Structures are given as structure tokens and as C-alpha cells.
Amino acid sequence: ALKQAEEFRAAVHVLLEWLSEAEQTLRFRGALPDDAEALQSLINLHMEFMRKVEEKRVAVNTATGLGDAILAVCHPDCVTTIKHWNTIIRARFEEVLTWAKQHQQRLEAAHAELVANADLLEELLAWIQGAETALIQRDQDPIPQMIEQVKALITEHQSFMEEMTRKQPDVDKLTKTYKRKTEPDKSRANRKSLSQAPPVPIVLLSQAETKNPRINQLSARWQQVWLLALERQRKLNDALDRLEELKEFANFDFDVWRKKYMRWMNHKKSRVMDFFRRIDKDQDGKITRQEFIDGILASKFPTTRLEMTAVADIFDRDGDGYIDYYEFVAALHPNKDAYRPTTDADKIEDEVTRQVAQCKCAKRFQVEQIGENKYRFFLGNQFGDSQQLRLVRILRSTVMVRVGGDRKS
């Protein structure tokens, strides 16, 4: 009986030591590598561990069998102790075996995922290569000048963009999986030294990129293809807008444009001369073609730059590149009877503006309205006084300017 008891105790102690080592090994496996060869090495090591576990099953059965034999002949006071140790070694062995099988499944699943991701990575890189080549080739081809053909190209490119959108989750899956694997495991850090630990470097991602250049290549080339696709989309949309604008411009009628503009001005309760003065920043009575075009477009009047280019050609009658107030009013009011100032103040202001517009000097003298029927003339040193105040009235339907004690028309 003593010999059997010592043999049973020795077998139980050996098993308990091995079970503790096995549990320690399974508990601290660490993060799985993202390299296929390293992962396969781990699988081979685990298969060797599983073989040892199965070998230990014989030792467990031998020890528990010896315990059962002792139970059959031992004193009743020993039954509880023998049953306790039999239960302990059986339960811990089954627990180790369960952990080992779960880890084996984890390794096999990670290996299968790694193989699938590698195949997906190669598939995406091959697709990106073809897509990039196709986009570059299409950009080299001239864009057709027919609206229907451009619309067909836009539809074709839209299908390409939709295909890219469908592949975006696969790209995100690969890049995010890779980033997740490269992040350090913070759960096993020492809690006490957490405050003393150095901060995580910002260049962690760049360090990780050097480990797997294929993922880095996928990310960079995917971004490049997206930029090429967006640029292609922009070019096609711009070309379609330009062709549709040219189609509308083919039936352009300045008289229709002029009437529409005048109705728009009347609806806004704006005066033509006020609009001209807003554009004429230096108040020299004339504006450039570009200032005229930009001013009309900035006013939110419904027109296009192409139409405004043609309108500017009509307004600039003498072709000097400038549009003065007289040309501006004459183009908008070809029939003089159609444009008549209603009040005396409007008549005076209109006449003063017309007179100033007739000046052909490089630097025209400036007139500033400072009150009703009162204007200040900035004549400069050429005429002696730098500023002169003039009072303007209407006498028998004639605009009169008071000069000293006399009035002149």
C-alpha cells in the first residue's frame, strides 16, 4: 500500500508540473505574425505540442488508474483525498487539451485568412495595374466634340467608378488588418510603469510599412488610381458642359440677351449707371473687357462666360479693349427713345456721366456727386484749383452748370 501511494503521489506531481508548464505556454502565445512562413512555423510547433499532449494522455490514464486501484482497497479516510487528485489531473488535462485545440483552430484560421488576403492582394494589384494603364491611355485620347459621345464616355467612366467603389472594402480590409496586426499589444504592458513609458512614435506606421512593402504599394497605387479617376471625371464633365454651352450659344441673339438683362435690372430696381459705376473702380468712365465680363457674372445674372465674351465684343464698338459709359448705354439702349431718365436728378446725373465719358484723355477728370444737383470736379493742377464745386440745374429742358455768377449749358 505504501509503495502504491508513493507511486501515485509521484505520478500526480509530475503531471501537475507538466500541466502548469503547458498552461503557461498556451496562455502567453502572443500576437500572430502576418508572415506566412513564420505562421507556418508556429503551426508546426503547435502540432509538436499537440503530439506531446496526446502522449501525456497515457500518463494521465495511468495515474488515474492507479488512483482508482487504491480507492478499491484504501481506508475510508483516504477516499476523499484520492478522488480529489484524480479529479484535479483529469480536469486540468482536459482544460489544456481544449486550449490547445482552440489555439490550433486559431492558427489554422489565421493561416487561411493570410493566404486569402495574399491572393486578394495580388488580385487587387493586378486590377490596379490594368485600371491605371487604361486611365492613362484614355487621357491620351482626345475627347470627342459630340455631346452624345461624351455622354457615352461619362457613362462608361461611371461604371468604372462604381467598380472601384465595390473594391474599396477589400482594400480597406487589407490595410486595416495589416495596421491592426502591427499595433503593439498594450494589454501585457506593466501597469505600474505606464506613466514612465515613452510615447508611441508618430512614425509607427512608416516603420510598419517597411515590413510589408506590398501593402504599402497597394495603398499608394490605389490612391493614385482614385486621383486619376477623379481627374478623368472632371475633364469629361467640363467637356460636356462646354459642348452644351456651345450648343446653346449657337442660337445666341444679343437682342434677346439685352432685353433679358434689362428686365432683370428692372426687377432688381437697379439703374444701369449705378451698375457701371460699381464696376468702374477708379471712376475714370471706362472699364476693361475683363472687368465688364467679371462684373456681369458676379452680379448673378443668368448668363455664361461664353455669352459674355460675345456681348463684350458688341459693347466694345471701337475695339480698343475698353468699354466706356457711352458704349455701355448705347448697347443697352439702341433706341434712344427707349431710355429716358424720369426725374430731373436722373437727367442731370445721366448728362454729367455722358459728358465725362466723352473725355478721351489718358487720365480723365473725375466727377463726384456730393448732394442733390451738386458735383465736385477733380481737375488737378493743370487747371489751377485741385477741386471745384459746381451747382447743376435744369433750365428750359437744358442742363445748366453754374460757373461763378453765370450759368452755362
Side-chain angles (χ1 to χ4, degrees), residues 136-145 149-150 153 232 236 239 242:
I136 294 175
Q137 180 62 38
R138 291 170 186 172
D139 278 344
Q140 293 176 351
D141 297 335
I143 297 179
Q145 299 301 312
Q149 294 177 354
V150 174
L153 289 178
R232 170 75 174 174
L236 291 175
R242 182 177 57 83

Side-chain angles (χ1 to χ4, degrees), residues 264-317:
W264 182 77
M265 289 289 287
N266 292 334
H267 178 71
K268 292 187 64 178
K269 295 182 171 56
S270 300
R271 295 191 304 176
V272 173
M273 65 178 65
D274 293 337
F275 177 76
F276 186 86
R277 285 178 176 175
R278 281 200 304 271
I279 303 178
D280 188 13
K281 302 297 183 182
D282 52 5
Q283 299 298 318
D284 61 352
K286 60 181 180 181
I287 57 177
T288 63
R289 288 169 51 90
Q290 194 60 42
E291 288 176 338
F292 170 71
I293 294 175
D294 293 341
I296 296 291
L297 293 175
S299 68
K300 307 302 182 183
F301 173 67
T303 185
T304 62
R305 187 170 292 275
L306 189 62
E307 286 183 350
M308 287 309 305
T309 302
V311 171
D313 292 337
I314 297 174
F315 274 64
D316 185 16
R317 293 186 174 184

Side-chain angles (χ1 to χ4, degrees), residues 33-44 111 114:
D34 58 348
D35 181 70
E37 295 181 0
L39 188 60
Q40 186 61 48
S41 298
L42 285 181
I43 292 176
N44 295 336
H111 186 266
L114 197 61

Side-chain angles (χ1 to χ4, degrees), residues 20 56 71 74 110 120 136 145 151 162-163 175 208 214 218 250 283 319 323 326 340 351-352 356 373 390:
S20 297
K56 284 295 180 180
L71 282 174
C74 70
L120 181 60
I136 294 175
Q145 299 301 312
K151 287 184 177 180
E162 292 174 356
E163 185 177 3
T175 54
R214 300 290 283 173
L218 172 66
Q283 299 298 318
I323 300 173
Y326 179 75
R340 290 183 177 274
E351 184 61 29
V352 170
V356 172
N373 303 335
R390 294 289 183 263

